[in-house]
């Protein structure tokens, strides 16, 4: 026998125009695992909602003159390479419904474009993507859903060589040197241990259409619950339990 139980509570009415809290999704995974690809696919499927993508890469710190001179010795895969305070500030502003100016990062010159920003508007869904978005608890606590994109290391390295030589102005030797010295050790020390925080792990990234469809369905359900509360402000849906 199956029973479906939806607990609801009629209490004091919620304000009808209570500010809408965006649904925040974190997408993590190793370099070139397909994080951006997965985010783009989710955004495409949610075309009838306002969805914005924030990249952790935008919050890379600028290098000092000394660091720039020896850029090959700089570890871009360590948590300290990001300005997490600024990322938190931006995310909190977006969560509270304000628009923000997100820095634009130049991977060829390892620095932020000092004059231009990307304006990100308030939205229904905010996706925060990056190798270390699950590392800091304060950033994790902003998220309603955490996705880890799990792609084999050899596939990621092959993609990274192709991408960095074609798009990021690197040569093959420098990519391999950086990978062995910094990218792989930091993946083992920081990225992989943060996988335990994920709610959903997607094997094969953007090739996994079933996982992406399920995730989109879940987001639609969450957004729909919010709309229901707006239509029937006296009814709070606490939770639903399904037993088979
Ligand atoms: P990440 O955001 O994790 O660094 P991307 O989504 O940007 O990863 O993908 C890294 C590179 O691999 C890009 O050049 C992208 O076009 C390519 N790529 C991503 N997913 C696939 C896939 N499923 N099949 C083939 N190439 C892919
Ligand atoms: O897009 P992806 O997740 O791969 O971006 C993160 C990677 O970018 C890190 O593994 C880091 O080594 C690399 N990176 C770089 N040069 C920079 C900044 C980041 O190679 N200036």
């Amino acid at each position: 026998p199956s029973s479906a139980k939806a607990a609801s509570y009629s209490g004091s009415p919620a304000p009808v125009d209570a500010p809408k809290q965006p649904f925040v999704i974190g997408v993590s995974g190793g370099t070139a695992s397909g994080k951006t690809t997965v985010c783009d696919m989710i955004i495409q499927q949610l075309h009838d909602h306002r969805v914005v993508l924030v990249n952790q890469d935008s919050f890379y710190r600028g290098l000092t003159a000394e660091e720039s001179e020896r850029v090959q010795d700089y570890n871009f895969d360590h948590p300290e390479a990001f300005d997490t305070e600024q990322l938190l500030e931006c995310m909190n502003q977006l969560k509270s419904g304000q628009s923000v100016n997100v820095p634009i990062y130049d991977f060829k010159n390892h620095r932020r474009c000092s004059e231009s920003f990307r304006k990100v508007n308030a939205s229904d869904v905010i996706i925060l993507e990056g190798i270390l978005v699950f590392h800091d608890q304060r950033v994790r606590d902003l998220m309603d859903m955490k996705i880890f994109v799990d792609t084999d290391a050899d596939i990621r390295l092959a993609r990274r060589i192709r991408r960095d030589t074609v798009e990021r102005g690197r040569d093959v030797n420098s990519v391999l040197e950086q990978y062995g010295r910094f990218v792989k050790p930091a993946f083992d020390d920081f990225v992989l241990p943060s996988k335990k925080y994920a709610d959903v792990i997607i094997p094969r990234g953007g090739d996994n259409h079933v996982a992406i469809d399920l995730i989109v369905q879940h987001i639609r359900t969450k957004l729909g619950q919010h709309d229901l509360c707006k239509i029937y402000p006296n009814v709070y849906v606490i939770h639903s339990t399904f037993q088979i």
Side-chain angles (χ1 to χ4, degrees), residues 29-38 129 149 159-160 162-163 167-168 204-207:
T31 181
S33 55
K35 300 180 294 297
T36 311
T37 306
V38 165
E129 167 274 323
V149 182
R159 285 181 188 164
R160 168 114 180 196
R162 193 177 296 130
R163 183 193 64 193
E167 294 171 23
R168 295 187 180 175
R204 307 183 308 283
D207 292 337

Side-chain angles (χ1 to χ4, degrees), residues 25-27 54-56 87 91 126-130 133 139 143:
I25 307 169
V27 178
V54 177
N55 309 93
Q56 189 182 28
L87 168 72
M91 287 300 291
I126 304 167
I127 309 182
L128 174 62
E129 167 274 323
V133 292
V139 181
M143 298 168 183

